[in-house]
Amino acid sequence: MTQSYAFYVYGSYLFAGLITIAVTLWTWLDGRARRRELKALEASGIRRRSARAKDAPDAKANA
């Protein structure tokens, strides 16, 4: 009787493992793409708001 469920159990673990690997890979690749986009934007002169506050010469005067 236990042999008949082995395919289902192992198949389920395999499927869950593949989905976990796929989501992890997708997240990692998407993070790399967003970092590349951010690097390109910063190279073109566009800065983040948090970077502007630190880089501004009168940042301490306004704080």
Side-chain angles (χ1 to χ4, degrees):
M1 190 63 129
T2 58
Q3 190 65 18
S4 64
Y5 293 110
F7 179 75
Y8 171 76
V9 171
Y10 292 136
S12 297
Y13 276 115
L14 179 64
F15 182 73
L18 290 175
I19 295 298
T20 301
I21 290 169
V23 169
T24 302
L25 184 62
W26 178 27
T27 303
W28 179 69
L29 290 172
D30 190 54
R32 287 183 61 192
R34 298 299 80 78
R35 281 192 293 274
R36 264 187 266 124
E37 287 177 3
L38 182 59
K39 191 175 185 179
L41 287 171
E42 288 178 344
S44 70
I46 298 173
R47 299 280 184 248
R48 290 179 272 177
R49 283 183 267 177
S50 60
R52 279 192 212 140
K54 286 187 222 172
D55 295 339
D58 60 344
K60 291 183 181 178
N62 291 335

